Amino acid sequence: MSLLLIAPDRDMTPWSEALQAEDPNLDIEIWPNVSDKKNVQFAVSWNQPKHLLDSYPNMKAISSLGAGVDHLLGDEALPESVTICRVVAPSLVQQMKEYVLGTVINIQRNLVQYIRQKDIGRWEARSHPLAKDVGIGILGLGELGRPVAQQLAQVGYTVSGWSRSEKNIDHVNTFAGADQLPNFLGQTQILICLLPLTPETNNILDLDLFKQLQNPSWIINVARGEHLVDEDLIYALDSGIIDGAWLDVFNEEPLPNKHAFWNRENIIVTPHIASITKPSEVADQIVENYKLSLSGMELNYKVDRDIGY
C-alpha cells in the first residue's frame, strides 16, 4: 500500500524525506508518478487538479497539507466515503500571530506610507493613533483566530471577535451569529479575516460588509481568497469606503500578472506566506493518520464535512 503526495505547485521532495525519516518503511509516491493507482489508500494533498481524486479506487482517507481543507471539501471528485483530515502545528499559530501583528503595526504606524515616501524622497511625519484607540475585529475565533485575538489584546489594541457560535476570550469583546455581525463591524477599523471557508462564509468580504465598518478602515485577509469579492474591494477603495487592504490569499493563485490588485498602492500583496506548514513538524501526524486509516481506526484532526472544518 502506498501514501501519495499531491501538490502541483510545490516541490514535495522535502515532504517525502520528512515522512521517510519518520518511518523508513513507507512506500511514498509523488503525483503524477504513480506506479499503480490501486495501491493508493491515503493521500496528502494541496490544490490537487480537478477530477483526480476519484481515480484512486481504494482511497480511504486524505489529509490536507495544512490547516485549511476547502480545496478538498470543494472537490466534487472526492468520494463521500473518503475521510478528510488536516494537520495541526504549533508553528502555524505562531507564524500567523507574527504576520498579523506585523500587518496591524504597519497600518497603525503608517509604515506603508513611509516606505512609499522614501521611494520618492519625501520627508513627512504622519500622526498615528495609540494602540488602545484602534478597533481590531477578528472574523473567526478558531485555532488561529483565538490566539491572534489574544496577542493583539495583550499588545494593547481594542479587540473584538466574531464567530458562528459563542466564544469567551479574556480581554476580547466577542460576538456570535448573523444578528450580531453588524454591531461587530460597526466598531471595527482593522478587519482581519481568519474564517474557515464554508458556503456561509464564501464572498463574505463584500461591499455590504465594507460599508458597515468604521471609516477609515483596512481589510486584512489571511484566510482564503474566496472570502473576498475582488471587484467589491476595488470599488470600496476607489470610493473611499475603506482605506486599504492587506492580502495574503487570493481567488486565483498565483495572482495573475494583469490583476487589478497589482496596480493599487493601497493594496499590499504577499504570496500566501502568512503561515506555512513545515514538513518536519507534521510528518508524525501524517504517518500516524496513515497507519490509523489502514487499520480502519478513527483519524486525528478529522474534518466534519457538514460544517466545513
Side-chain angles (χ1 to χ4, degrees), residues 66-68 86-97 100 138-152 169 192-196 222-224 274-276:
R86 57 190 173 87
V87 295
V88 175
S91 75
L92 293 178
V93 175
Q94 180 61 27
Q95 289 178 71
M96 186 61 74
K97 288 166 59 178
V100 172
I138 313 288
L139 276 173
L141 295 172
E143 294 190 13
L144 293 176
R146 175 184 290 266
V148 166
Q150 290 172 321
Q151 174 174 262
L152 291 169
I169 305 174
I192 301 162
C193 183
L194 277 164
L195 289 165
V222 283
R224 286 292 178 266
S275 192
I276 300 174

PDB file of all heavy atoms in Angstrom, residues 66-68 86-97 100 138-152 169 192-196 222-224 274-276:
ATOM      1  N   GLY A  66      -2.149  21.395   5.053  1.00  0.00           N
ATOM      2  CA  GLY A  66      -2.150  22.431   6.080  1.00  0.00           C
ATOM      3  C   GLY A  66      -3.435  22.388   6.877  1.00  0.00           C
ATOM      4  O   GLY A  66      -4.163  21.395   6.882  1.00  0.00           O
ATOM      5  N   ALA A  67      -3.722  23.525   7.551  1.00  0.00           N
ATOM      6  CA  ALA A  67      -4.930  23.601   8.376  1.00  0.00           C
ATOM      7  C   ALA A  67      -6.183  23.759   7.536  1.00  0.00           C
ATOM      8  O   ALA A  67      -7.267  23.320   7.918  1.00  0.00           O
ATOM      9  CB  ALA A  67      -4.806  24.763   9.364  1.00  0.00           C
ATOM     10  N   GLY A  68      -6.074  24.395   6.370  1.00  0.00           N
ATOM     11  CA  GLY A  68      -7.228  24.606   5.506  1.00  0.00           C
ATOM     12  C   GLY A  68      -7.615  23.345   4.750  1.00  0.00           C
ATOM     13  O   GLY A  68      -6.750  22.558   4.334  1.00  0.00           O
ATOM     14  N   ARG A  86      -6.811  16.951   8.629  1.00  0.00           N
ATOM     15  CA  ARG A  86      -5.873  18.056   8.410  1.00  0.00           C
ATOM     16  C   ARG A  86      -4.714  17.914   9.369  1.00  0.00           C
ATOM     17  O   ARG A  86      -4.667  16.971  10.160  1.00  0.00           O
ATOM     18  CB  ARG A  86      -6.592  19.396   8.635  1.00  0.00           C
ATOM     19  CG  ARG A  86      -7.229  19.539   9.997  1.00  0.00           C
ATOM     20  CD  ARG A  86      -8.127  20.753  10.077  1.00  0.00           C
ATOM     21  NE  ARG A  86      -8.863  20.806  11.334  1.00  0.00           N
ATOM     22  CZ  ARG A  86      -8.411  21.349  12.450  1.00  0.00           C
ATOM     23  NH1 ARG A  86      -7.204  21.892  12.474  1.00  0.00           N
ATOM     24  NH2 ARG A  86      -9.130  21.360  13.549  1.00  0.00           N
ATOM     25  N   VAL A  87      -3.767  18.824   9.276  1.00  0.00           N
ATOM     26  CA  VAL A  87      -2.639  18.815  10.206  1.00  0.00           C
ATOM     27  C   VAL A  87      -2.732  20.030  11.121  1.00  0.00           C
ATOM     28  O   VAL A  87      -3.266  21.074  10.738  1.00  0.00           O
ATOM     29  CB  VAL A  87      -1.283  18.793   9.482  1.00  0.00           C
ATOM     30  CG1 VAL A  87      -1.115  17.500   8.707  1.00  0.00           C
ATOM     31  CG2 VAL A  87      -1.122  19.993   8.570  1.00  0.00           C
ATOM     32  N   VAL A  88      -2.232  19.869  12.316  1.00  0.00           N
ATOM     33  CA  VAL A  88      -2.222  20.947  13.300  1.00  0.00           C
ATOM     34  C   VAL A  88      -0.785  21.097  13.789  1.00  0.00           C
ATOM     35  O   VAL A  88      -0.193  20.147  14.302  1.00  0.00           O
ATOM     36  CB  VAL A  88      -3.158  20.637  14.480  1.00  0.00           C
ATOM     37  CG1 VAL A  88      -3.041  21.717  15.544  1.00  0.00           C
ATOM     38  CG2 VAL A  88      -4.595  20.516  14.000  1.00  0.00           C
ATOM     39  N   ALA A  89      -0.220  22.287  13.636  1.00  0.00           N
ATOM     40  CA  ALA A  89       1.167  22.513  14.014  1.00  0.00           C
ATOM     41  C   ALA A  89       1.292  23.794  14.821  1.00  0.00           C
ATOM     42  O   ALA A  89       0.758  24.829  14.424  1.00  0.00           O
ATOM     43  CB  ALA A  89       2.050  22.603  12.766  1.00  0.00           C
ATOM     44  N   PRO A  90       1.994  23.738  15.959  1.00  0.00           N
ATOM     45  CA  PRO A  90       2.168  24.949  16.771  1.00  0.00           C
ATOM     46  C   PRO A  90       2.775  26.106  15.997  1.00  0.00           C
ATOM     47  O   PRO A  90       2.416  27.260  16.217  1.00  0.00           O
ATOM     48  CB  PRO A  90       3.095  24.477  17.899  1.00  0.00           C
ATOM     49  CG  PRO A  90       2.852  23.013  18.004  1.00  0.00           C
ATOM     50  CD  PRO A  90       2.596  22.554  16.601  1.00  0.00           C
ATOM     51  N   SER A  91       3.684  25.822  15.074  1.00  0.00           N
ATOM     52  CA  SER A  91       4.339  26.915  14.347  1.00  0.00           C
ATOM     53  C   SER A  91       3.373  27.640  13.430  1.00  0.00           C
ATOM     54  O   SER A  91       3.562  28.812  13.119  1.00  0.00           O
ATOM     55  CB  SER A  91       5.534  26.397  13.542  1.00  0.00           C
ATOM     56  OG  SER A  91       5.109  25.694  12.389  1.00  0.00           O
ATOM     57  N   LEU A  92       2.298  26.959  12.971  1.00  0.00           N
ATOM     58  CA  LEU A  92       1.306  27.629  12.134  1.00  0.00           C
ATOM     59  C   LEU A  92       0.645  28.762  12.901  1.00  0.00           C
ATOM     60  O   LEU A  92       0.414  29.842  12.364  1.00  0.00           O
ATOM     61  CB  LEU A  92       0.256  26.630  11.659  1.00  0.00           C
ATOM     62  CG  LEU A  92       0.710  25.543  10.690  1.00  0.00           C
ATOM     63  CD1 LEU A  92      -0.445  24.612  10.361  1.00  0.00           C
ATOM     64  CD2 LEU A  92       1.281  26.151   9.411  1.00  0.00           C
ATOM     65  N   VAL A  93       0.358  28.513  14.181  1.00  0.00           N
ATOM     66  CA  VAL A  93      -0.241  29.542  15.027  1.00  0.00           C
ATOM     67  C   VAL A  93       0.745  30.674  15.254  1.00  0.00           C
ATOM     68  O   VAL A  93       0.399  31.859  15.111  1.00  0.00           O
ATOM     69  CB  VAL A  93      -0.689  28.943  16.371  1.00  0.00           C
ATOM     70  CG1 VAL A  93      -1.210  30.034  17.304  1.00  0.00           C
ATOM     71  CG2 VAL A  93      -1.763  27.888  16.145  1.00  0.00           C
ATOM     72  N   GLN A  94       1.986  30.335  15.588  1.00  0.00           N
ATOM     73  CA  GLN A  94       2.989  31.363  15.853  1.00  0.00           C
ATOM     74  C   GLN A  94       3.265  32.213  14.623  1.00  0.00           C
ATOM     75  O   GLN A  94       3.357  33.445  14.705  1.00  0.00           O
ATOM     76  CB  GLN A  94       4.290  30.724  16.353  1.00  0.00           C
ATOM     77  CG  GLN A  94       5.406  31.706  16.662  1.00  0.00           C
ATOM     78  CD  GLN A  94       5.046  32.705  17.761  1.00  0.00           C
ATOM     79  OE1 GLN A  94       4.223  32.406  18.623  1.00  0.00           O
ATOM     80  NE2 GLN A  94       5.647  33.877  17.729  1.00  0.00           N
ATOM     81  N   GLN A  95       3.374  31.565  13.465  1.00  0.00           N
ATOM     82  CA  GLN A  95       3.611  32.311  12.233  1.00  0.00           C
ATOM     83  C   GLN A  95       2.463  33.272  11.935  1.00  0.00           C
ATOM     84  O   GLN A  95       2.680  34.411  11.518  1.00  0.00           O
ATOM     85  CB  GLN A  95       3.781  31.348  11.062  1.00  0.00           C
ATOM     86  CG  GLN A  95       5.063  30.542  11.059  1.00  0.00           C
ATOM     87  CD  GLN A  95       5.093  29.588   9.884  1.00  0.00           C
ATOM     88  OE1 GLN A  95       5.236  29.992   8.730  1.00  0.00           O
ATOM     89  NE2 GLN A  95       4.928  28.308  10.158  1.00  0.00           N
ATOM     90  N   MET A  96       1.237  32.803  12.147  1.00  0.00           N
ATOM     91  CA  MET A  96       0.091  33.664  11.871  1.00  0.00           C
ATOM     92  C   MET A  96       0.060  34.838  12.843  1.00  0.00           C
ATOM     93  O   MET A  96      -0.246  35.979  12.447  1.00  0.00           O
ATOM     94  CB  MET A  96      -1.206  32.869  11.958  1.00  0.00           C
ATOM     95  CG  MET A  96      -2.435  33.663  11.532  1.00  0.00           C
ATOM     96  SD  MET A  96      -2.369  34.241   9.801  1.00  0.00           S
ATOM     97  CE  MET A  96      -2.682  32.704   8.929  1.00  0.00           C
ATOM     98  N   LYS A  97       0.364  34.595  14.108  1.00  0.00           N
ATOM     99  CA  LYS A  97       0.414  35.670  15.087  1.00  0.00           C
ATOM    100  C   LYS A  97       1.445  36.723  14.679  1.00  0.00           C
ATOM    101  O   LYS A  97       1.198  37.930  14.751  1.00  0.00           O
ATOM    102  CB  LYS A  97       0.735  35.115  16.477  1.00  0.00           C
ATOM    103  CG  LYS A  97      -0.406  34.341  17.111  1.00  0.00           C
ATOM    104  CD  LYS A  97       0.049  33.525  18.306  1.00  0.00           C
ATOM    105  CE  LYS A  97       0.670  34.378  19.399  1.00  0.00           C
ATOM    106  NZ  LYS A  97       1.058  33.552  20.571  1.00  0.00           N
ATOM    107  N   VAL A 100       0.134  38.686  11.401  1.00  0.00           N
ATOM    108  CA  VAL A 100      -0.967  39.616  11.646  1.00  0.00           C
ATOM    109  C   VAL A 100      -0.513  40.795  12.497  1.00  0.00           C
ATOM    110  O   VAL A 100      -0.862  41.950  12.214  1.00  0.00           O
ATOM    111  CB  VAL A 100      -2.153  38.885  12.296  1.00  0.00           C
ATOM    112  CG1 VAL A 100      -3.221  39.887  12.732  1.00  0.00           C
ATOM    113  CG2 VAL A 100      -2.757  37.873  11.328  1.00  0.00           C
ATOM    114  N   ILE A 138     -11.685  40.564  14.582  1.00  0.00           N
ATOM    115  CA  ILE A 138     -11.247  39.268  14.065  1.00  0.00           C
ATOM    116  C   ILE A 138     -12.468  38.479  13.626  1.00  0.00           C
ATOM    117  O   ILE A 138     -13.330  38.138  14.438  1.00  0.00           O
ATOM    118  CB  ILE A 138     -10.484  38.448  15.128  1.00  0.00           C
ATOM    119  CG1 ILE A 138      -9.433  39.289  15.839  1.00  0.00           C
ATOM    120  CG2 ILE A 138      -9.887  37.192  14.488  1.00  0.00           C
ATOM    121  CD1 ILE A 138      -8.240  39.624  15.038  1.00  0.00           C
ATOM    122  N   LEU A 139     -12.568  38.190  12.343  1.00  0.00           N
ATOM    123  CA  LEU A 139     -13.616  37.304  11.836  1.00  0.00           C
ATOM    124  C   LEU A 139     -13.116  35.869  11.940  1.00  0.00           C
ATOM    125  O   LEU A 139     -12.196  35.470  11.221  1.00  0.00           O
ATOM    126  CB  LEU A 139     -13.921  37.624  10.369  1.00  0.00           C
ATOM    127  CG  LEU A 139     -14.890  38.764  10.051  1.00  0.00           C
ATOM    128  CD1 LEU A 139     -14.908  39.019   8.554  1.00  0.00           C
ATOM    129  CD2 LEU A 139     -16.283  38.468  10.567  1.00  0.00           C
ATOM    130  N   GLY A 140     -13.689  35.099  12.855  1.00  0.00           N
ATOM    131  CA  GLY A 140     -13.250  33.728  13.054  1.00  0.00           C
ATOM    132  C   GLY A 140     -12.406  33.597  14.299  1.00  0.00           C
ATOM    133  O   GLY A 140     -11.341  34.216  14.397  1.00  0.00           O
ATOM    134  N   LEU A 141     -12.872  32.812  15.264  1.00  0.00           N
ATOM    135  CA  LEU A 141     -12.175  32.670  16.539  1.00  0.00           C
ATOM    136  C   LEU A 141     -11.817  31.212  16.804  1.00  0.00           C
ATOM    137  O   LEU A 141     -11.982  30.702  17.906  1.00  0.00           O
ATOM    138  CB  LEU A 141     -13.035  33.233  17.677  1.00  0.00           C
ATOM    139  CG  LEU A 141     -13.299  34.740  17.613  1.00  0.00           C
ATOM    140  CD1 LEU A 141     -14.314  35.146  18.674  1.00  0.00           C
ATOM    141  CD2 LEU A 141     -11.997  35.523  17.782  1.00  0.00           C
ATOM    142  N   GLY A 142     -11.309  30.559  15.777  1.00  0.00           N
ATOM    143  CA  GLY A 142     -10.920  29.163  15.882  1.00  0.00           C
ATOM    144  C   GLY A 142      -9.474  29.012  16.329  1.00  0.00           C
ATOM    145  O   GLY A 142      -8.948  29.821  17.089  1.00  0.00           O
ATOM    146  N   GLU A 143      -8.807  27.981  15.816  1.00  0.00           N
ATOM    147  CA  GLU A 143      -7.460  27.656  16.268  1.00  0.00           C
ATOM    148  C   GLU A 143      -6.431  28.721  15.892  1.00  0.00           C
ATOM    149  O   GLU A 143      -5.370  28.798  16.516  1.00  0.00           O
ATOM    150  CB  GLU A 143      -7.037  26.295  15.716  1.00  0.00           C
ATOM    151  CG  GLU A 143      -7.866  25.148  16.288  1.00  0.00           C
ATOM    152  CD  GLU A 143      -7.303  23.794  15.925  1.00  0.00           C
ATOM    153  OE1 GLU A 143      -6.155  23.735  15.449  1.00  0.00           O
ATOM    154  OE2 GLU A 143      -8.012  22.793  16.115  1.00  0.00           O
ATOM    155  N   LEU A 144      -6.713  29.524  14.894  1.00  0.00           N
ATOM    156  CA  LEU A 144      -5.826  30.644  14.546  1.00  0.00           C
ATOM    157  C   LEU A 144      -6.380  31.963  15.056  1.00  0.00           C
ATOM    158  O   LEU A 144      -5.649  32.804  15.572  1.00  0.00           O
ATOM    159  CB  LEU A 144      -5.618  30.703  13.034  1.00  0.00           C
ATOM    160  CG  LEU A 144      -4.852  29.545  12.396  1.00  0.00           C
ATOM    161  CD1 LEU A 144      -4.813  29.701  10.884  1.00  0.00           C
ATOM    162  CD2 LEU A 144      -3.433  29.456  12.944  1.00  0.00           C
ATOM    163  N   GLY A 145      -7.687  32.164  14.907  1.00  0.00           N
ATOM    164  CA  GLY A 145      -8.297  33.440  15.288  1.00  0.00           C
ATOM    165  C   GLY A 145      -8.189  33.747  16.762  1.00  0.00           C
ATOM    166  O   GLY A 145      -7.914  34.888  17.152  1.00  0.00           O
ATOM    167  N   ARG A 146      -8.393  32.735  17.614  1.00  0.00           N
ATOM    168  CA  ARG A 146      -8.340  32.961  19.058  1.00  0.00           C
ATOM    169  C   ARG A 146      -6.953  33.448  19.511  1.00  0.00           C
ATOM    170  O   ARG A 146      -6.857  34.489  20.171  1.00  0.00           O
ATOM    171  CB  ARG A 146      -8.734  31.692  19.808  1.00  0.00           C
ATOM    172  CG  ARG A 146      -8.592  31.796  21.326  1.00  0.00           C
ATOM    173  CD  ARG A 146      -8.911  30.491  21.998  1.00  0.00           C
ATOM    174  NE  ARG A 146     -10.323  30.164  21.934  1.00  0.00           N
ATOM    175  CZ  ARG A 146     -11.191  30.464  22.886  1.00  0.00           C
ATOM    176  NH1 ARG A 146     -10.791  31.098  23.982  1.00  0.00           N
ATOM    177  NH2 ARG A 146     -12.456  30.133  22.758  1.00  0.00           N
ATOM    178  N   PRO A 147      -5.857  32.746  19.180  1.00  0.00           N
ATOM    179  CA  PRO A 147      -4.552  33.233  19.633  1.00  0.00           C
ATOM    180  C   PRO A 147      -4.154  34.570  19.021  1.00  0.00           C
ATOM    181  O   PRO A 147      -3.475  35.373  19.657  1.00  0.00           O
ATOM    182  CB  PRO A 147      -3.575  32.118  19.231  1.00  0.00           C
ATOM    183  CG  PRO A 147      -4.299  31.307  18.221  1.00  0.00           C
ATOM    184  CD  PRO A 147      -5.743  31.418  18.537  1.00  0.00           C
ATOM    185  N   VAL A 148      -4.574  34.823  17.779  1.00  0.00           N
ATOM    186  CA  VAL A 148      -4.302  36.127  17.167  1.00  0.00           C
ATOM    187  C   VAL A 148      -5.007  37.225  17.945  1.00  0.00           C
ATOM    188  O   VAL A 148      -4.421  38.278  18.253  1.00  0.00           O
ATOM    189  CB  VAL A 148      -4.735  36.136  15.685  1.00  0.00           C
ATOM    190  CG1 VAL A 148      -4.782  37.565  15.140  1.00  0.00           C
ATOM    191  CG2 VAL A 148      -3.783  35.293  14.848  1.00  0.00           C
ATOM    192  N   ALA A 149      -6.270  36.998  18.296  1.00  0.00           N
ATOM    193  CA  ALA A 149      -7.031  37.987  19.066  1.00  0.00           C
ATOM    194  C   ALA A 149      -6.394  38.226  20.428  1.00  0.00           C
ATOM    195  O   ALA A 149      -6.265  39.378  20.884  1.00  0.00           O
ATOM    196  CB  ALA A 149      -8.475  37.517  19.231  1.00  0.00           C
ATOM    197  N   GLN A 150      -5.978  37.152  21.083  1.00  0.00           N
ATOM    198  CA  GLN A 150      -5.367  37.278  22.409  1.00  0.00           C
ATOM    199  C   GLN A 150      -4.069  38.073  22.349  1.00  0.00           C
ATOM    200  O   GLN A 150      -3.808  38.917  23.219  1.00  0.00           O
ATOM    201  CB  GLN A 150      -5.117  35.886  22.993  1.00  0.00           C
ATOM    202  CG  GLN A 150      -6.394  35.149  23.380  1.00  0.00           C
ATOM    203  CD  GLN A 150      -6.140  33.705  23.775  1.00  0.00           C
ATOM    204  OE1 GLN A 150      -5.321  33.007  23.172  1.00  0.00           O
ATOM    205  NE2 GLN A 150      -6.854  33.244  24.796  1.00  0.00           N
ATOM    206  N   GLN A 151      -3.245  37.820  21.345  1.00  0.00           N
ATOM    207  CA  GLN A 151      -1.975  38.544  21.245  1.00  0.00           C
ATOM    208  C   GLN A 151      -2.200  40.030  21.006  1.00  0.00           C
ATOM    209  O   GLN A 151      -1.551  40.875  21.636  1.00  0.00           O
ATOM    210  CB  GLN A 151      -1.119  37.970  20.119  1.00  0.00           C
ATOM    211  CG  GLN A 151       0.160  38.780  19.878  1.00  0.00           C
ATOM    212  CD  GLN A 151       1.074  38.136  18.871  1.00  0.00           C
ATOM    213  OE1 GLN A 151       2.023  37.460  19.220  1.00  0.00           O
ATOM    214  NE2 GLN A 151       0.781  38.334  17.595  1.00  0.00           N
ATOM    215  N   LEU A 152      -3.120  40.364  20.104  1.00  0.00           N
ATOM    216  CA  LEU A 152      -3.379  41.773  19.819  1.00  0.00           C
ATOM    217  C   LEU A 152      -3.919  42.492  21.051  1.00  0.00           C
ATOM    218  O   LEU A 152      -3.574  43.650  21.310  1.00  0.00           O
ATOM    219  CB  LEU A 152      -4.362  41.895  18.656  1.00  0.00           C
ATOM    220  CG  LEU A 152      -3.818  41.474  17.278  1.00  0.00           C
ATOM    221  CD1 LEU A 152      -4.944  41.386  16.261  1.00  0.00           C
ATOM    222  CD2 LEU A 152      -2.739  42.438  16.801  1.00  0.00           C
ATOM    223  N   ILE A 169     -13.379  34.844  25.438  1.00  0.00           N
ATOM    224  CA  ILE A 169     -11.935  35.052  25.399  1.00  0.00           C
ATOM    225  C   ILE A 169     -11.611  36.260  26.263  1.00  0.00           C
ATOM    226  O   ILE A 169     -12.195  37.332  26.088  1.00  0.00           O
ATOM    227  CB  ILE A 169     -11.439  35.291  23.955  1.00  0.00           C
ATOM    228  CG1 ILE A 169     -11.883  34.141  23.037  1.00  0.00           C
ATOM    229  CG2 ILE A 169      -9.925  35.445  23.915  1.00  0.00           C
ATOM    230  CD1 ILE A 169     -11.568  34.368  21.574  1.00  0.00           C
ATOM    231  N   ILE A 192      -9.764  41.652  10.296  1.00  0.00           N
ATOM    232  CA  ILE A 192      -8.873  40.543   9.964  1.00  0.00           C
ATOM    233  C   ILE A 192      -9.715  39.295   9.741  1.00  0.00           C
ATOM    234  O   ILE A 192     -10.448  38.856  10.634  1.00  0.00           O
ATOM    235  CB  ILE A 192      -7.863  40.292  11.102  1.00  0.00           C
ATOM    236  CG1 ILE A 192      -7.039  41.556  11.353  1.00  0.00           C
ATOM    237  CG2 ILE A 192      -6.953  39.117  10.764  1.00  0.00           C
ATOM    238  CD1 ILE A 192      -6.334  41.572  12.689  1.00  0.00           C
ATOM    239  N   CYS A 193      -9.649  38.714   8.549  1.00  0.00           N
ATOM    240  CA  CYS A 193     -10.431  37.528   8.231  1.00  0.00           C
ATOM    241  C   CYS A 193      -9.612  36.273   8.486  1.00  0.00           C
ATOM    242  O   CYS A 193      -8.582  36.045   7.852  1.00  0.00           O
ATOM    243  CB  CYS A 193     -10.903  37.546   6.779  1.00  0.00           C
ATOM    244  SG  CYS A 193     -11.964  36.136   6.364  1.00  0.00           S
ATOM    245  N   LEU A 194     -10.081  35.465   9.437  1.00  0.00           N
ATOM    246  CA  LEU A 194      -9.477  34.165   9.747  1.00  0.00           C
ATOM    247  C   LEU A 194     -10.548  33.082   9.798  1.00  0.00           C
ATOM    248  O   LEU A 194     -10.448  32.118  10.561  1.00  0.00           O
ATOM    249  CB  LEU A 194      -8.722  34.246  11.079  1.00  0.00           C
ATOM    250  CG  LEU A 194      -7.299  34.809  10.983  1.00  0.00           C
ATOM    251  CD1 LEU A 194      -6.769  35.211  12.348  1.00  0.00           C
ATOM    252  CD2 LEU A 194      -6.363  33.786  10.334  1.00  0.00           C
ATOM    253  N   LEU A 195     -11.565  33.250   8.984  1.00  0.00           N
ATOM    254  CA  LEU A 195     -12.673  32.300   8.940  1.00  0.00           C
ATOM    255  C   LEU A 195     -12.311  31.050   8.138  1.00  0.00           C
ATOM    256  O   LEU A 195     -11.532  31.112   7.185  1.00  0.00           O
ATOM    257  CB  LEU A 195     -13.882  32.951   8.277  1.00  0.00           C
ATOM    258  CG  LEU A 195     -14.622  34.038   9.046  1.00  0.00           C
ATOM    259  CD1 LEU A 195     -15.534  34.806   8.102  1.00  0.00           C
ATOM    260  CD2 LEU A 195     -15.421  33.431  10.190  1.00  0.00           C
ATOM    261  N   PRO A 196     -12.918  29.915   8.497  1.00  0.00           N
ATOM    262  CA  PRO A 196     -12.853  28.773   7.575  1.00  0.00           C
ATOM    263  C   PRO A 196     -13.719  29.089   6.362  1.00  0.00           C
ATOM    264  O   PRO A 196     -14.671  29.877   6.458  1.00  0.00           O
ATOM    265  CB  PRO A 196     -13.455  27.629   8.407  1.00  0.00           C
ATOM    266  CG  PRO A 196     -14.353  28.305   9.386  1.00  0.00           C
ATOM    267  CD  PRO A 196     -13.695  29.622   9.705  1.00  0.00           C
ATOM    268  N   VAL A 222      -6.206  36.778   5.593  1.00  0.00           N
ATOM    269  CA  VAL A 222      -5.205  35.715   5.689  1.00  0.00           C
ATOM    270  C   VAL A 222      -5.893  34.355   5.765  1.00  0.00           C
ATOM    271  O   VAL A 222      -5.282  33.373   6.192  1.00  0.00           O
ATOM    272  CB  VAL A 222      -4.284  35.920   6.912  1.00  0.00           C
ATOM    273  CG1 VAL A 222      -3.261  36.997   6.654  1.00  0.00           C
ATOM    274  CG2 VAL A 222      -5.102  36.258   8.165  1.00  0.00           C
ATOM    275  N   ALA A 223      -7.155  34.284   5.346  1.00  0.00           N
ATOM    276  CA  ALA A 223      -7.917  33.035   5.408  1.00  0.00           C
ATOM    277  C   ALA A 223      -7.907  32.357   4.043  1.00  0.00           C
ATOM    278  O   ALA A 223      -7.031  31.555   3.751  1.00  0.00           O
ATOM    279  CB  ALA A 223      -9.331  33.313   5.897  1.00  0.00           C
ATOM    280  N   ARG A 224      -8.863  32.706   3.189  1.00  0.00           N
ATOM    281  CA  ARG A 224      -8.926  32.166   1.841  1.00  0.00           C
ATOM    282  C   ARG A 224      -9.353  33.263   0.870  1.00  0.00           C
ATOM    283  O   ARG A 224     -10.143  34.144   1.213  1.00  0.00           O
ATOM    284  CB  ARG A 224      -9.918  30.999   1.759  1.00  0.00           C
ATOM    285  CG  ARG A 224      -9.403  29.712   2.391  1.00  0.00           C
ATOM    286  CD  ARG A 224      -8.247  29.124   1.599  1.00  0.00           C
ATOM    287  NE  ARG A 224      -7.709  27.913   2.207  1.00  0.00           N
ATOM    288  CZ  ARG A 224      -6.674  27.886   3.043  1.00  0.00           C
ATOM    289  NH1 ARG A 224      -6.090  29.026   3.391  1.00  0.00           N
ATOM    290  NH2 ARG A 224      -6.218  26.746   3.513  1.00  0.00           N
ATOM    291  N   ALA A 274       1.673  33.758   4.977  1.00  0.00           N
ATOM    292  CA  ALA A 274       1.417  34.134   6.362  1.00  0.00           C
ATOM    293  C   ALA A 274       1.736  33.001   7.323  1.00  0.00           C
ATOM    294  O   ALA A 274       2.296  33.220   8.404  1.00  0.00           O
ATOM    295  CB  ALA A 274      -0.036  34.569   6.534  1.00  0.00           C
ATOM    296  N   SER A 275       1.389  31.778   6.945  1.00  0.00           N
ATOM    297  CA  SER A 275       1.613  30.628   7.817  1.00  0.00           C
ATOM    298  C   SER A 275       1.869  29.405   6.948  1.00  0.00           C
ATOM    299  O   SER A 275       0.973  28.947   6.245  1.00  0.00           O
ATOM    300  CB  SER A 275       0.402  30.413   8.723  1.00  0.00           C
ATOM    301  OG  SER A 275       0.669  29.507   9.748  1.00  0.00           O
ATOM    302  N   ILE A 276       3.089  28.906   6.961  1.00  0.00           N
ATOM    303  CA  ILE A 276       3.500  27.830   6.068  1.00  0.00           C
ATOM    304  C   ILE A 276       3.808  26.572   6.875  1.00  0.00           C
ATOM    305  O   ILE A 276       4.566  26.608   7.847  1.00  0.00           O
ATOM    306  CB  ILE A 276       4.736  28.245   5.253  1.00  0.00           C
ATOM    307  CG1 ILE A 276       4.428  29.495   4.413  1.00  0.00           C
ATOM    308  CG2 ILE A 276       5.201  27.101   4.355  1.00  0.00           C
ATOM    309  CD1 ILE A 276       5.635  30.057   3.692  1.00  0.00           C
TER     310      ILE A 276
END
